């Protein structure tokens, strides 16, 4: 069933075919090598095919001739097949072709026998991801939400999010039971290694500003590692000061158990509910209340459906 988004489509795909050939032997993956010692960074776009802002960010970096001044920089467009299927009349359909690319990054899944178009692409990308020291994975959200960095559960993810410095909200979460995200892959989730990654959610998929947030977050990521020349940042980085970040640790998600879930009031996301035990909704006849003081409402669902997550309850750390 096609579904035209309620908030309209204000951001559109860009032509990424100039970067198909790349220089790594993997389509749509390009590595620039400074020839100087330093970390190998990756900026990854289009893990979800309809999250267009990442394609805009990479196009911006390519067209402005981004080059690392130390280490290496890999720019990759992940689920190009899904992106190419984008239709503004049915824009949610191009999130993936066969299955969610961002649930496949368990080694056992990648090594296994199962086949899908997304698995084929993930397996093709894997040799490009394996040598990466630090990664920024660019996403956007299905409905209007404040942008945020998802930093995983480890201190190194949080440190990277704080090094990037914006967007304001940093959410530490464990990912999905259904399978690992690329940001949780191998080295990035290994507590014995320094490799860090963050996922940025640049707000609503189809707002034009998502592209600006993706570009600015990419520039901040590069700045954090002193990976590009100061003149490059001066030319492109928004000089406006940013607000202090708020780091939020996600506790148990509220899973909807009935067909009659409703919030007690409208939550846009990141509201802080001061008092433990405050009524936030009803699931059928059951009252849903906050579990601790200063409870942050993380990613409240606009369409609370049975079996889905209504909201995640976050603690400010
Ligand atoms: Zn996504």
């Amino acid at each position: 069933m096609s579904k035209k988004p309620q908030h309209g489509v204000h951001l559109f795909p860009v032509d990424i075919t100039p970067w198909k050939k790349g220089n790594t032997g993997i389509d749509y993956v390009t590595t620039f090598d400074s020839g100087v010692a330093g970390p190998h960074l990756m900026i990854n776009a289009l893990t979800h095919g309809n999250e267009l802002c990442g394609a805009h960010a990479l196009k911006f970096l390519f067209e402005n001739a981004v080059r690392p001044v130390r280490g290496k920089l890999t720019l990759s467009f992940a689920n190009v097949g899904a992106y190419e299927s984008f239709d503004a009349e049915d824009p949610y359909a191009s999130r993936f072709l066969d299955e969610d690319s961002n649930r496949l990054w368990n080694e056992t899944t990648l090594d296994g026998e199962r086949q899908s178009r997304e698995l084929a692409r993930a397996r093709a990308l894997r040799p490009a991801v394996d040598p990466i020291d630090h990664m920024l994975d660019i996403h956007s959200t299905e409905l209007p939400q404040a942008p945020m960095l998802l930093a995983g559960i480890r201190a190194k993810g949080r440190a990277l999010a704080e090094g990037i410095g914006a967007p304001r909200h940093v959410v530490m979460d464990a990912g999905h039971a259904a399978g690992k995200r690329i940001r949780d892959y191998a080295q990035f989730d290994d507590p014995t290694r320094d490799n860090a990654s963050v996922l940025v959610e640049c707000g609503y998929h189809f707002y034009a500003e998502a592209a600006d947030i993706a570009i600015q977050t990419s520039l901040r990521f590069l700045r954090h590692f002193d990976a590009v020349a100061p003149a490059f940042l001066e030319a492109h980085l928004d000089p406006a000061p940013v607000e202090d970040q708020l780091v939020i640790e996600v506790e148990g998600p509220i899973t909807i158990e009935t067909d009659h879930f409703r919030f007690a009031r409208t939550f846009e996301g990141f509201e802080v509910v001061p008092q433990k035990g405050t009524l936030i909704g009803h699931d059928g006849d059951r009252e849903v209340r906050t579990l601790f003081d200063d409870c942050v409402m993380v990613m409240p669902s606009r369409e609370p459906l049975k079996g889905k997550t209504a909201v995640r309850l976050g603690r400010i750390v």
Side-chain angles (χ1 to χ4, degrees), residues 17-93:
T17 56
W19 304 292
K20 178 175 182 181
K21 193 163 181 295
N23 63 358
T24 61
I26 306 167
D27 279 358
Y28 288 102
V29 180
T30 301
T31 298
F32 298 116
D33 186 347
S34 68
V36 177
H40 189 165
L41 307 181
M42 174 183 257
I43 302 177
N44 187 50
L46 299 179
T47 291
H48 292 129
N50 63 346
E51 299 183 2
L52 311 172
C53 58
H56 284 260
L58 293 198
K59 176 182 160 79
F60 176 92
L61 293 173
F62 278 118
E63 289 185 344
N64 287 286
V66 68
R67 294 291 182 276
V69 294
R70 66 180 196 117
K72 297 179 189 176
L73 173 62
T74 290
L75 302 178
S76 56
F77 300 93
N79 198 345
V80 175
Y83 178 71
E84 285 173 340
S85 76
F86 184 85
D87 174 0
E89 293 300 312
D90 191 9
Y92 291 115

Side-chain angles (χ1 to χ4, degrees), residues 46-240:
L46 299 179
T47 291
H48 292 129
N50 63 346
E51 299 183 2
L52 311 172
C53 58
H56 284 260
L58 293 198
K59 176 182 160 79
F60 176 92
L61 293 173
F62 278 118
E63 289 185 344
N64 287 286
V66 68
R67 294 291 182 276
V69 294
R70 66 180 196 117
K72 297 179 189 176
L73 173 62
T74 290
L75 302 178
S76 56
F77 300 93
N79 198 345
V80 175
Y83 178 71
E84 285 173 340
S85 76
F86 184 85
D87 174 0
E89 293 300 312
D90 191 9
Y92 291 115
S94 52
R95 178 175 172 83
F96 53 77
L97 297 170
D98 298 328
E99 61 178 324
D100 191 331
S101 280
N102 219 21
R103 306 289 182 269
L104 305 178
W105 289 86
N106 304 66
E107 280 95 328
T108 47
T109 306
L110 293 169
D111 289 337
E113 299 289 307
R114 210 161 62 69
Q115 302 293 334
S116 71
R117 282 174 286 184
E118 273 73 21
L119 265 168
R121 181 61 176 157
R123 287 168 183 147
L125 284 175
R126 193 177 180 185
V129 180
D130 279 329
I132 296 301
D133 292 309
H134 308 292
M135 183 186 64
L136 174 67
D137 189 30
I138 302 176
H139 290 250
S140 52
T141 52
E142 194 179 334
L143 292 163
Q145 299 249 356
M148 68 192 93
L149 294 161
L150 301 182
I153 55 170
R154 309 219 178 270
K156 60 185 183 177
R158 175 181 172 176
L160 175 54
E162 290 175 334
I164 294 169
R168 176 166 182 245
H169 293 99
V170 176
V171 175
M172 300 189 68
D173 71 319
H176 302 274
K180 275 192 181 186
R181 303 170 295 191
I182 191 170
R183 83 141 305 284
D184 305 314
Y185 174 64
Q187 67 268 34
F188 305 126
D189 195 42
D190 182 343
T192 69
R193 298 173 66 179
D194 293 334
N195 311 98
S197 71
V198 293
L199 184 168
V200 61
E201 298 280 11
C202 299
Y204 176 53
H205 296 331
F206 311 119
Y207 280 159
E209 67 174 28
D212 301 327
I213 294 166
I215 291 166
Q216 291 300 315
T217 308
S218 298
L219 293 170
R220 289 175 157 274
F221 173 75
L222 295 171
R223 182 180 68 170
H224 174 64
F225 292 104
D226 297 322
V228 291
F232 186 82
L233 296 171
E234 221 161 274
H236 304 298
L237 188 65
D238 183 351

